[in-house]
Amino acid sequence: MQWPASLDYGTQRYPAHVARRLKVLNATTWCGVLLAFGFALSDLLDRRLWPLAMINIVVGLLLAAVPLMHRFGETAGALAYGLISYTAIFVICFMLGTDSGMQVQYLAIAAGAVLVFGPERIGLIALFGSVGIVLFIALELLAPADTGLLSPSFMLGNFLACIIGTSAILLAIVFYAVRETSRAEALAQREYRRSETLLANIMPVPVAERLKISPGIIADGFDDASILFADMAGFTARASGMPPMEVIRFLNEAFTAFDQLVEQHGLEKIKTTGDGYMVVSGIPLVRSDHLEALAAFALEMREVAASIAAQNGDPVAIRIGMACGPVVAGVVGTHKFFYDVWGDAVNMASRMESTGVSGQIQASQEVYERLAGQFIWEPRGTIDVKGKGRMPTWFLIDRHEAAEDGCFRELES
């Protein structure tokens, strides 16, 4: 909402939500100033009403000074406005009589207190409203109905003006409150959807749902899952001579393409570290074909990486490692928490990647044995794997149906 510049006076030093309240008060104050001076001019036309005119002039001047009170605190202006208005209404109503309807203005002022003080100051609002009710009742009990200062027609006009004006103010307050509530709800919905999307992007949706229902440690064991690590071989050294934006652009293009493949194959990306990429299958949703799905993904990942490298004129090749077995998965941390996977199979997949060959998908013996009839393999031979000693590993070449004779074959090294 765009406010006139005059309504901003004294509000700049406050937070946005406080400044909005003070602008409402400033708008109310300036309306009060105009009304007070307007009544004063009207009263000056009748010599008998000059005392009333002087009161209205004083009230107008005092109200004009209310925005100056903002420098003393966010409630100073509202308290000053209340004191001035309550006193002026009581005095003028006593001079004219309760038939003037002046006392109903206490209702509008008390309702407006919720807007200018804020709902968190319930005690101050209650006090403000209570004083208004007491003054309202006092006028009904102590003030005459009509002092004769105004003619019957003017008294009726004053009464109608007070009733109509007070009703309009109350409607405006309700409208403003409902509109602000609707805006706040719409903003909250947008922020909720944004946070939901963000949470779904940093961890699996089923885990995110559990975390929302029951915050705290989440740990699950899986008897069988498969893990893949990938790394841009030689990219770290090459990136040292590239502009920062070029490095980020290349990685963003590659990882975005990998993310799309992850989604297509129903897998779960765990994290990226530098130019490294980690994917799991069969976690957190168990699936019997987790290893087949991950192998198919690895082949497509290699093709996509080669295509991106070719398009960018960059010879960097991807190195991929795969393993399978029991793992533990869960959420770690309370601040900047993340979903991760642990276990011997995870370590094995990492070793398969780090000891692999650029442009190749290296897998453990167990992966080969389980997928031997479905994919084409090339034996690498026996290599030294940290923490495991020497063991045979295999290169995943292609899907079984891609072989020329349609039968399983092993390529001899």
Side-chain angles (χ1 to χ4, degrees), residues 3 7 11 14-30 66 70 73-83 85-86 107-122 124-126 128-129 169 172-174 176-177 180:
W3 297 86
L7 300 184
T11 67
Y14 293 101
H17 69 285
V18 175
R20 283 196 297 271
R21 298 173 190 167
L22 298 184
K23 290 174 184 179
V24 171
L25 177 60
N26 285 352
T28 304
T29 298
W30 289 122
V66 165
H70 298 329
E74 59 184 85
T75 61
L79 291 172
Y81 177 83
L83 178 62
S85 300
Y86 277 3
L107 301 177
I109 297 174
V114 178
L115 294 182
V116 296
F117 285 127
E120 66 274 11
R121 293 188 174 86
I122 187 65
L124 194 56
I125 294 171
F128 209 82
I169 291 172
I173 290 172
V174 171
Y176 178 85
E180 289 300 303

Side-chain angles (χ1 to χ4, degrees), residues 226-232 254 257-268 277-281 287 289-307 317-323 349 352-353 357-364 367 371 375-377 394-399:
S226 48
I227 304 93
L228 177 149
F229 281 91
D231 186 78
M232 301 288 185
F258 297 161
D259 289 347
Q260 292 173 350
L261 286 179
V262 167
E263 186 173 354
Q264 290 172 14
H265 287 271
L267 310 178
E268 194 68 51
Y277 196 91
M278 179 183 177
V279 181
V280 297
S281 182
R287 54 186 296 183
D289 64 339
H290 64 85
L291 193 52
E292 293 88 340
L294 192 64
F297 166 81
L299 291 169
E300 292 189 36
M301 184 185 203
R302 182 174 60 182
E303 292 178 5
V304 168
S307 174
I318 197 168
R319 187 173 61 227
I320 302 173
M322 289 176 56
M352 290 297 97
E353 179 274 311
V357 177
S358 298
Q360 295 283 9
I361 304 167
Q362 181 170 240
S364 64
V367 172
L371 296 180
F375 293 85
I376 302 172
W377 297 88
W394 297 76
F395 288 143
L396 175 61
I397 304 302
D398 207 339
R399 292 178 180 272

Side-chain angles (χ1 to χ4, degrees), residues 208-243:
E209 292 297 327
R210 288 170 57 190
L211 197 61
K212 287 187 294 183
I213 296 172
S214 179
I217 296 175
I218 291 180
D220 298 309
F222 296 87
D223 295 332
D224 191 31
S226 48
I227 304 93
L228 177 149
F229 281 91
D231 186 78
M232 301 288 185
F235 184 77
T236 301
R238 186 176 181 84
S240 61
M242 297 170 60

Side-chain angles (χ1 to χ4, degrees), residues 239-284:
S240 61
M242 297 170 60
M245 184 56 69
E246 187 67 19
V247 174
I248 298 302
R249 186 196 62 77
F250 178 83
L251 290 177
N252 180 68
E253 182 180 359
F255 288 167
T256 298
F258 297 161
D259 289 347
Q260 292 173 350
L261 286 179
V262 167
E263 186 173 354
Q264 290 172 14
H265 287 271
L267 310 178
E268 194 68 51
K269 180 178 81 172
I270 297 300
K271 59 187 173 184
T272 58
T273 306
D275 58 345
Y277 196 91
M278 179 183 177
V279 181
V280 297
S281 182
I283 302 172

